Amino acid sequence: MKKIERSKIIISELNKLYPDTPIPLDHNGPYTLLIAVVLSAQSTDKKVNELTKDLFKIADSPEKMVKLGINNIYQHIKQLGLSGQKSKNVFNLSKILIDKFNGKVPNTFEELESLPGVGHKTASVVMAQIFNIPSFPVDTHIHRLSQRWGLTKGKSVKQTEKDLKQIFPISEWNKLHLQIIFY
């Protein structure tokens, strides 16, 4: 069976299993989603949601996060892997958002990826889920499933993303990435 035929079956089955795809990270806008995605690296969404519940009550904007400071950010997220680096990244990216972007989350890959702690996958999630710009964020989970499903032989998430973008219609990318995560 060709990859395109397989992709149509995958879309059909995932649409049956997951017709609705809420964003699994709790947030109340672009900024808190960006922070939640940054914190989710090497951590579970469940744990990130537990810890950001209290954090976002007191710091749901770049200004409030900077005011909180690195040490206090760390105290809120210390149960996460890489919490020391993440607390610095959250503080520094918040400061850059204030200084360079008037406190707003930028809506281009280049600008997002210029922020500390924001790689291509994080930028892709924000672009897809906040700005509704077609993106196909590929994490390790999607990478592995794509290999098992015979959709890619890519050795990296970057290659897998490229392969999936060639197989699946652009209109499906934003929803499909979440459906595969839920699967």
Side-chain angles (χ1 to χ4, degrees), residues 1-15 136 146 149-152 163-170 172-173 176 179-180:
M1 181 182 304
K2 293 183 179 181
K3 289 178 186 178
I4 296 293
E5 294 165 336
R6 212 172 302 127
S7 73
K8 289 178 183 173
I9 293 169
I10 289 167
I11 290 170
S12 174
E13 291 303 312
L14 289 175
N15 279 332
F136 208 128
S146 298
W149 291 339
L151 299 176
T152 184
D163 292 344
L164 296 179
K165 283 181 171 180
Q166 290 176 345
I167 297 167
F168 290 106
I170 193 169
E172 300 292 327
W173 293 356
L176 190 57
Q179 289 173 314
I180 296 171

Side-chain angles (χ1 to χ4, degrees), residues 26-92:
D26 296 339
H27 65 285
N28 60 15
Y31 175 73
T32 54
L33 179 63
L34 173 61
I35 297 305
V37 178
V38 167
L39 296 177
S40 72
Q42 311 228 344
S43 301
T44 65
D45 292 347
K46 181 180 177 185
K47 192 61 165 177
V48 170
N49 287 339
E50 285 174 23
L51 299 178
T52 57
K53 184 177 181 181
D54 290 334
L55 177 63
F56 292 159
K57 281 181 186 174
I58 57 171
D60 63 352
S61 70
E63 295 81 8
K64 291 177 185 175
M65 197 68 76
V66 168
K67 199 174 206 178
L68 192 60
I70 294 172
N71 291 335
N72 287 323
I73 295 168
Y74 174 79
Q75 291 306 313
H76 283 276
I77 67 167
K78 64 185 175 186
Q79 294 177 41
L80 296 176
L82 309 172
S83 55
Q85 187 59 50
K86 288 178 182 178
S87 57
K88 291 174 191 168
N89 287 340
V90 167
F91 177 84
N92 289 327

